[in-house]
Amino acid sequence: MIKWLCLLAGLMLVSEQGMAAGVNAVSVTTAPDGGQTYTVTIQILALMTMLTLLPAMLLTMTSFTRIMIVLGLLRQAIGTAQAPSNQVLLGLSLFLTIFIMMPVFDNINREAVQPYLEEQISVMTALEKAAQPLRTFMLKQTREADLDMFMRIADRDDFDTVDDVPFSLLLPAFVTSELKTAFQIGFLIFLPFLVIDLVVASVLMSMGMMMLSPMIVSLPFKLMLFVLADGWSLVLEMLAASFYV
């Protein structure tokens, strides 16, 4: 991330110098192989446009969605309204996403970013090479049923292999699969806490304590169970391992 920010700052500095010298903002050069290359100014414009799409890419093309939903359901299952806070859950989800996606990012950096910085490949070739590791990751996590559903909706069945499926179909199928998996994991996490709530509610009913909320009484027991079982380590390990099964 720091390397890319330094690259962006360097490109902006080159752009300012070029504009001061009167360099044309739009200049397209045809490469010997028939491809097209653009001036640094246009590349910076495309890069800034990509930066605005980073939140959407983070939600739809990485493991962030599954992690954030599971952690949110975990907090609801325990019964703590604001502990941990949304900021803590977002930060934990973000850094766990970076940890899980690091092999994919390393592949993108090795196959696309570094060759482009060394001017060995063009922009379009770099984008194509960068998309391939993401496609591989997303296809591995996407259910065939979800992919078939969106292919039926789009009335598209002219693909010989799954590698021919465009991103316009792969993205919604991947997000749908992530939502299903996240809620399945959340259901399994809910069960032990639900049992504690039922036991506490039954005991309070048998004792005639109708006015005492079972949630207040069961919260310390759920926290004790979660801490004694080393719950955070188990949940985070399970989330990371679910992407490599």
Side-chain angles (χ1 to χ4, degrees):
M1 181 65 67
I2 297 177
K3 183 187 299 183
W4 290 2
L5 291 176
C6 293
L7 172 62
L8 175 60
L11 290 176
M12 294 179 64
L13 179 60
V14 172
S15 175
E16 291 178 358
Q17 293 177 351
M19 293 177 64
V23 179
N24 293 329
V26 180
S27 177
V28 181
T29 305
T30 303
D33 58 354
Q36 292 181 337
T37 57
Y38 303 90
T39 59
V40 176
T41 306
I42 300 301
Q43 294 176 18
I44 293 174
L45 178 62
L47 182 60
M48 296 301 295
T49 304
M50 289 294 295
L51 290 178
T52 61
L53 299 177
L54 277 180
M57 295 173 63
L58 179 67
L59 290 175
T60 59
M61 301 175 69
T62 66
S63 57
F64 183 83
T65 300
R66 182 191 305 187
I67 297 171
M68 187 62 194
I69 291 177
V70 170
L71 294 182
L73 292 175
L74 171 63
R75 182 177 64 181
Q76 186 174 357
I78 296 176
T80 55
Q82 297 296 330
S85 63
N86 292 330
Q87 291 83 354
V88 174
L89 292 183
L90 284 172
L92 183 58
S93 301
L94 178 60
F95 284 102
L96 187 58
T97 298
I98 295 175
F99 171 78
I100 294 173
M101 299 293 297
M102 188 55 65
V104 179
F105 294 155
D106 288 339
N107 198 358
I108 293 175
N109 180 65
R110 182 176 61 255
E111 299 293 335
V113 177
Q114 293 302 322
Y116 172 70
L117 294 179
E118 296 174 0
E119 299 182 354
Q120 297 177 358
I121 58 177
S122 62
V123 176
M124 298 307 298
T125 304
L127 291 177
E128 293 175 359
K129 289 182 176 294
Q132 190 58 41
L134 282 176
R135 284 182 59 90
T136 302
F137 172 81
M138 295 167 65
L139 284 172
K140 186 177 180 181
Q141 305 300 326
T142 303
R143 292 179 171 84
E144 294 184 3
D146 296 328
L147 190 58
D148 292 339
M149 177 189 68
F150 283 99
M151 290 175 63
R152 290 196 308 271
I153 295 175
D155 195 17
R156 297 285 301 275
D157 56 357
D158 53 342
F159 306 118
D160 297 331
T161 62
V162 291
D163 294 333
D164 299 330
V165 177
F167 267 103
S168 59
L169 295 180
L170 180 58
L171 279 176
F174 171 75
V175 175
T176 304
S177 296
E178 287 294 284
L179 291 175
K180 288 183 179 179
T181 304
F183 278 93
Q184 289 175 354
I185 297 175
F187 170 76
L188 297 177
I189 292 177
F190 248 96
L191 288 180
F193 299 109
L194 180 61
V195 171
I196 294 177
D197 286 334
L198 291 176
V199 171
V200 171
S202 300
V203 172
L204 291 179
M205 289 287 291
S206 63
M207 296 176 63
M209 297 181 179
M210 304 296 183
M211 303 302 294
L212 184 61
S213 174
M215 296 295 295
I216 298 177
V217 180
S218 63
L219 179 58
F221 294 99
K222 290 190 288 187
L223 291 177
M224 180 182 64
L225 172 65
F226 191 69
V227 172
L228 292 178
D230 198 9
W232 285 113
S233 297
L234 292 176
V235 171
L236 296 181
E237 181 181 2
M238 175 268 302
L239 281 173
S242 66
F243 290 94
Y244 296 102
V245 176

